[in-house]
Amino acid sequence: MVCSHVFTGVVIFSTLSGSVVANPVPASAGWVARTSPMMGPRDLKIVACTPHQEMHLREVLQDAATLGRQGAKMADRKNKAYEHYFRTDPKHADYQNDWRFFRSAMSAIRNSNDPVLAFHFVLKCAKDQKSHGCLERSAAVTSIEADNGGKREMVICPRFFTDEATKRVIGGEKEKSRWCEGKNQKTFGDFETGGHTMLHEMTHLDAMMKAAGVTETEYQRDDGSKFESSSSDDWAGTDAAQGPFVQLVQLARQLVPWTRKGRRSCWRNAENYAAAATEYYFMELCGIDDIPLR
């Protein structure tokens, strides 16, 4: 079973892998600078990619780790970035799981930039938008099977390198003015980056989410057979089901009130992790209290 991340007005994604215990960093307020230059996860393999694509993927991996590092520093639930995507009602059955799994997943993703603690995986560039499971608007495709089907492979679709959102990188402190100029008029789409997409993808990997201590979920394949995995899912379906104007981040926000009625858990949805991490990073960077969708 694979998750295909698609473009639907904002970016959507798929995952990486790992086999390391996640050690949460102490929670504290304040923005963190971009992580040190990407030394690369141990045994990282980037195959069938051009030198330009490989360079961009390494920057994007660095940015995903930066978003994870900031998310792991979130001190409490009292901020809009968390409230938009996870439960804050202590009476809700998933109140504790949402917080625990978000923090531990962010720590695991932060560790993906550490050459000692890093995850083992393969990034493969698809030759065209119709190969390796890529759909028309896919950014990347990753299996959510147990241990990623043994491959631990993420397929990067051609659109990842041409869409404006996934072409963006966070950059260093010198880029702060670029991101924060006109901050009160900006919406979520203005802050989307390739790192956001990569982080979304990383949460699909069973090995990485197991390292984060995420509970296994039972999934069903197209043939009706079932398997258990700690991978996150894309609850809204794939390219054909979403339509061209549906934003996955909007659907992720809708999960919070919907799950209050017992429909499904926010901690199972990849975009809830990615969107919360992106919002929190740029809210801290630019000193803003909220980021509207539109």
Side-chain angles (χ1 to χ4, degrees), residues 11-225:
V11 182
I12 298 132
F13 350 80
S14 267
T15 279
L16 291 177
S17 96
S19 55
V20 59
V21 175
N23 299 307
V25 298
S28 61
W31 170 71
V32 299
R34 195 186 195 207
T35 56
S36 57
M38 182 65 179
M39 299 177 67
R42 288 182 304 170
D43 300 333
L44 170 67
K45 294 181 180 180
I46 300 179
V47 300
C49 302
T50 67
H52 175 76
Q53 289 173 331
E54 179 173 342
M55 181 174 66
H56 182 58
L57 287 172
R58 289 187 181 277
E59 277 212 279
V60 163
L61 286 164
Q62 180 182 343
D63 285 351
T66 296
L67 294 176
R69 184 182 173 200
Q70 183 73 63
K73 287 172 63 67
M74 189 181 290
D76 55 47
R77 302 172 176 88
K78 297 177 181 179
N79 62 82
K80 290 295 184 181
Y82 187 84
E83 293 172 5
H84 285 158
Y85 303 102
F86 296 100
R87 271 63 49 106
T88 57
D89 180 1
K91 296 180 180 179
H92 194 283
D94 272 332
Y95 174 75
Q96 296 295 344
N97 279 343
D98 276 5
W99 179 244
R100 178 162 60 97
F101 294 153
F102 173 75
R103 292 280 324 285
S104 61
M106 293 302 103
S107 295
I109 291 167
R110 173 208 62 184
N111 289 344
S112 69
N113 194 54
D114 189 309
V116 176
L117 299 176
F119 304 115
H120 301 239
F121 56 87
V122 175
L123 295 177
K124 177 185 287 186
C125 292
K127 63 179 181 179
D128 55 54
Q129 202 63 33
K130 296 182 179 179
S131 62
H132 295 88
C134 293
L135 300 174
E136 181 182 355
R137 287 171 282 136
S138 298
V141 180
T142 305
S143 170
I144 65 170
E145 295 269 352
D147 198 29
N148 195 221
K151 290 185 176 182
R152 297 191 182 181
E153 177 182 276
M154 182 197 298
V155 173
I156 306 299
C157 303
R159 289 200 64 168
F160 187 91
F161 302 104
T162 60
D163 185 84
E164 287 304 314
T166 42
K167 283 167 59 178
R168 296 180 196 139
V169 294
I170 293 174
E173 284 192 64
K174 293 181 179 179
E175 298 297 315
K176 180 176 179 179
S177 61
R178 172 173 65 90
W179 287 112
C180 301
E181 183 179 0
K183 59 187 180 182
N184 294 323
Q185 286 74 48
K186 288 188 172 182
T187 61
F188 187 93
D190 295 313
F191 296 110
E192 282 194 288
T193 64
H196 172 99
T197 298
M198 185 62 70
L199 189 153
H200 175 125
E201 292 298 313
M202 294 173 80
T203 69
H204 285 312
L205 277 185
D206 174 52
M208 196 209 72
M209 297 302 269
K210 271 190 172 61
V214 175
T215 302
E216 288 189 337
T217 296
E218 183 177 84
Y219 292 104
Q220 183 169 304
R221 301 182 181 91
D222 293 340
D223 63 5
S225 59

